[in-house]
Amino acid sequence: GRQLANAQGCLGCHSTTGEVITGPTWKGIYGHSMKLSNGTTVTADDAYITKSILDPDAQIVQGFPAGTMPSFQGVLTADQINDIIEYIKTLR
């Protein structure tokens, strides 16, 4: 998952250390609540992360602008998305 995320450019915008760069950090997000720009919260689980990869503007984390992340619909397979999610799960 890490190699794939790096190859796709994900790690240029999403840190794995807790540092905030262009997008939210991936460190420690899995299973935790994310506050969205519309004031609601969502749990960062497999479904949320998959939706964020395929339709990044559907649920925007508060403090981050819409239109920044490209969609990976048709770029990544379901197995590749699962590999990235499994990698995110390891970042505690």
Side-chain angles (χ1 to χ4, degrees):
R2 183 186 191 294
Q3 288 179 334
L4 179 60
N6 194 40
Q8 291 296 322
C10 307
L11 302 180
C13 294
H14 298 282
S15 82
T16 60
T17 62
E19 177 187 10
V20 175
I21 44 182
T22 305
T25 185
W26 285 356
K27 182 179 181 180
I29 66 163
Y30 192 85
H32 290 93
S33 292
M34 307 288 288
K35 186 154 186 162
L36 303 179
S37 59
N38 66 5
T40 64
T41 58
V42 65
T43 300
D45 58 10
D46 289 39
Y48 168 75
I49 295 169
T50 298
K51 186 170 186 81
S52 294
I53 291 169
L54 299 177
D55 187 7
D57 287 340
Q59 296 176 302
I60 308 217
V61 173
Q62 189 174 52
F64 295 92
T68 303
M69 182 172 155
S71 170
F72 285 85
Q73 180 77 45
V75 176
L76 296 175
T77 66
D79 286 342
Q80 289 173 316
I81 291 170
N82 287 333
D83 288 345
I84 291 171
I85 291 170
E86 290 303 314
Y87 172 59
I88 291 170
K89 288 177 182 179
T90 70
L91 302 170
R92 305 218 178 261

